[in-house]
Amino acid sequence: MPEFYEGRCRYQLAAQPYLAAIARGVRDNAAARTFLLNGTEFAGAYAAAEPLWREQWQARDPTDSMVCPFWSNYWYEPCASCDCRINDSVSMEIDAMFFLQNAEQRTLAIHVEMKRDHERLSIGQAEAYRPRAACYRDERRIRKGLLPHHDCMTVLFCGVGTDIPLVEKYFDRVILHENARGVFPGYPGGPTV
């Protein structure tokens, strides 16, 4: 299982450059991690937190034949009796997930959804992000590959064509592409259609 995209992963081809830039920022850049947390209830508690990069990689089973990076494409069957899936929704996957640990040894899971310009969220997708993150945090059922964590937050990266007032109700942080470009080295610029 690779650390970054190597050309074999067919998952979210158009989104891969965005996701890779975010992942590198989380791994390598404290300012990028701070930016992700800005304006959330976790900004203070996780201000100097470090990524659990190797630990997450090990949890995803590095012997697995998965061709996508270890931090991408988290997908599990929905719980049978839980609010982590919205009726009529189609997607249960998370584009990327990162774990940060602070000085108090508390761990935060950051669930990331990526939408390119003019790419819409599917039915129930926005509404399901927070309940699903809470379900993972609370370990309502066993899910291989997840690190245990105390806190969770949801982030949407999006741009032109996204109904910002709508999605802000469902994500802890909404980051526009134009703002991400100045923080994450290698984040794609120009038209994203």
Side-chain angles (χ1 to χ4, degrees):
M1 176 177 334
E3 183 175 15
F4 291 101
Y5 296 107
E6 298 174 340
R8 297 181 299 142
C9 179
R10 307 324 290 158
Y11 172 74
Q12 295 255 5
L13 285 173
Q16 286 182 12
Y18 300 87
L19 294 168
I22 295 164
R24 282 190 171 85
V26 168
R27 184 190 70 181
D28 300 335
N29 189 330
R33 294 189 294 272
T34 298
F35 176 78
L36 277 175
L37 301 170
N38 281 346
T40 72
E41 65 181 285
F42 306 106
Y46 289 93
E50 292 292 325
L52 295 176
W53 198 258
R54 293 273 170 213
E55 296 85 346
Q56 182 182 3
W57 201 345
Q58 290 300 316
R60 283 301 291 267
D61 186 6
T63 63
D64 190 335
S65 62
M66 187 169 127
V67 297
C68 295
F70 70 88
W71 45 262
S72 73
N73 192 18
Y74 277 81
W75 190 90
Y76 301 98
E77 290 291 330
C79 297
S81 59
C82 186
D83 67 349
C84 67
R85 182 166 189 229
I86 306 301
N87 289 340
D88 299 323
S89 66
V90 294
S91 181
M92 285 302 298
E93 50 78 31
I94 299 164
D95 290 336
M97 192 178 315
F98 305 102
F99 296 88
L100 302 180
Q101 189 171 71
N102 66 15
E104 289 77 37
Q105 302 301 302
R106 289 186 64 84
T107 301
L108 169 70
I110 302 173
H111 297 238
V112 173
E113 176 63 26
M114 171 60 60
K115 291 297 180 191
R116 291 168 290 117
D117 287 346
H118 303 290
E119 185 180 10
R120 302 209 181 278
L121 285 101
S122 61
I123 293 172
Q125 190 175 17
E127 297 90 334
Y129 250 78
R130 275 194 192 128
R132 182 174 55 221
C135 182
Y136 288 13
R137 177 200 60 215
D138 299 343
E139 298 182 279
R140 295 181 192 157
R141 57 174 241 184
I142 295 171
R143 293 179 174 93
K144 286 180 60 178
L146 282 180
L147 294 178
H149 50 284
H150 306 91
D151 299 303
C152 57
M153 65 175 271
T154 57
V155 181
L156 172 67
F157 284 83
C158 61
V160 176
T162 301
D163 184 346
I164 301 299
L166 172 71
V167 296
E168 282 180 329
K169 295 187 298 190
Y170 299 112
F171 289 89
D172 296 301
R173 182 100 160 85
V174 176
I175 299 173
L176 299 175
H177 297 307
E178 62 193 59
N179 297 329
R181 286 183 186 108
V183 176
F184 297 97
Y187 200 91
T192 57
V193 177

